[in-house]
Amino acid sequence: MITLAHFQIVSAALFAVGLYGVLARRSAVLILMSIELMLNAVNLNLIAVSSYVESSVFSGLIIAIFVITVAAAEVGLALAIVLRLFRNRASVNVDEIDLMKW
Amino acid sequence: MIWFFFIVLSVFTVGGGLGVVATRNVVHAALFLLLSLLGVAGLYVLLASTFLALVQIFIYGGAIVIVLLFAIMLTRSREYPHISDNRQWPIAGIGALAFFGMLVVAFRVNNPVAQVRHHVEFTDLGRSLFTEWALPFEIASILLLVALVGAVVIAREGGRRG
């Protein structure tokens, strides 16, 4: 019998992998992909809990739908910013974008 | 049997994630991301959330991975076939492992007593979305509109300040 804890462990592992990607990668596109992994881990956790715990308004499922919506908006905006960055600096490596660092 | 599917899908999910953060080729990273997202969709099916599995495949597998591939193609950099990581990647690995340990401990300590799996009908979900959650739903649509306009304005060629 698969319990809630198993899904939570998978979700925690996926979140940790995404966290490592955000911290260790240099390319902005790869950081975006790692953020998608973390959002998916959160969604998996929400849906696992909502599927095991009784709720009359399906909070977990609906919040997961909103997370997917916001992730889509985020990817669209981030793509625009990455394109702009590449046009101005000919690079998408985040450690070379230090204009606002002092 | 269900254990077999759970283990295979978990390996797809976490293995795809590891591929995303470990590969040296950006296009391979996008394909690993697709594998991981499809694994998550399969886990949603195991959790009896068919609707979310469909949404996951359509929006993540169909739209977001394609958009990321467009981002890769439009910013074709010489480094893409063999990118490098930050110099401090071991610290990042230690931090991620510590976070994983913390999450596992937190899930162990605060474990809700839950054994029954509920199946949610599409109609019940839709009714809830358009009654109790109607206001957040409308706000989400405004958010998407604003993000769309903002993306067009940011990425547009030319403009007053070049």
Side-chain angles (χ1 to χ4, degrees):
Chain A
M1 183 68 198
I2 306 173
T3 63
L4 179 56
H6 295 101
F7 284 101
Q8 285 181 326
I9 300 278
V10 173
S11 139
L14 193 60
F15 193 92
V17 169
L19 182 65
Y20 169 78
V22 168
L23 292 175
R25 288 302 213 179
R26 285 174 73 221
S27 168
V29 178
L30 281 164
I31 291 178
L32 262 179
M33 290 183 197
S34 306
I35 291 175
E36 294 306 318
L37 286 181
M38 291 164 78
L39 287 170
N40 262 279
V42 171
N43 266 349
L44 182 56
N45 204 347
L46 279 170
I47 291 173
V49 172
S50 93
S51 142
Y52 277 93
V53 178
E54 184 77 60
S55 163
S56 61
V57 292
F58 315 120
S59 322
L61 290 176
I62 301 230
I63 291 172
I65 293 176
F66 287 138
V67 169
I68 292 177
T69 312
V70 174
E74 173 240 333
V75 164
L77 268 180
L79 167 67
I81 293 172
V82 165
L83 284 185
R84 194 75 194 189
L85 205 59
F86 185 73
R87 206 178 293 149
N88 286 347
R89 307 290 294 264
S91 164
V92 291
N93 285 346
V94 288
D95 53 352
E96 293 165 23
I97 317 294
D98 51 4
L99 202 64
M100 294 175 77
K101 195 171 156 189
W102 57 284
Chain B
M1 195 60 191
I2 196 158
W3 269 105
F4 170 74
F5 283 116
F6 176 75
I7 289 170
V8 167
L9 290 169
S10 302
V11 167
F12 275 7
T13 303
V14 181
L18 284 173
V20 171
V21 300
T23 179
R24 296 273 144 240
N25 188 320
V26 178
V27 178
H28 293 176
L31 296 178
F32 275 123
L33 181 68
L34 183 60
L35 179 71
S36 180
L37 298 178
L38 293 181
V40 172
L43 287 175
Y44 291 170
V45 173
L46 282 191
L47 284 165
S49 305
T50 329
F51 179 69
L52 262 296
L54 284 175
V55 168
Q56 171 87 5
I57 291 173
F58 287 155
I59 296 186
Y60 272 108
I64 289 186
V65 171
I66 299 292
V67 166
L68 283 169
L69 281 170
F70 265 109
I72 291 168
M73 281 190 283
L74 291 175
T75 64
R76 188 173 285 271
S77 169
R78 264 179 279 93
E79 319 174 357
Y80 271 178
H82 43 85
I83 44 164
S84 56
D85 285 347
N86 278 332
R87 273 193 314 280
Q88 62 268 32
W89 66 268
I91 304 174
I94 293 170
L97 272 181
F99 198 82
F100 176 65
M102 196 183 81
L103 281 180
V104 170
V105 171
F107 286 146
R108 284 277 152 216
V109 170
N110 189 7
N111 203 4
V113 185
Q115 298 302 331
V116 188
R117 262 188 287 166
H118 306 283
H119 181 69
V120 178
E121 294 291 335
F122 282 24
T123 47
D124 293 338
L125 191 62
R127 195 172 292 118
S128 177
L129 187 61
F130 285 104
T131 53
E132 285 103 348
W133 297 87
L135 185 62
F137 183 80
E138 298 299 333
I139 292 173
S141 63
I142 291 176
L143 175 84
L144 278 176
L145 178 67
V146 170
L148 186 67
V149 174
V152 170
V153 168
I154 290 173
R156 162 176 77 155
E157 196 79 50
R160 227 176 303 146
R161 308 209 305 143

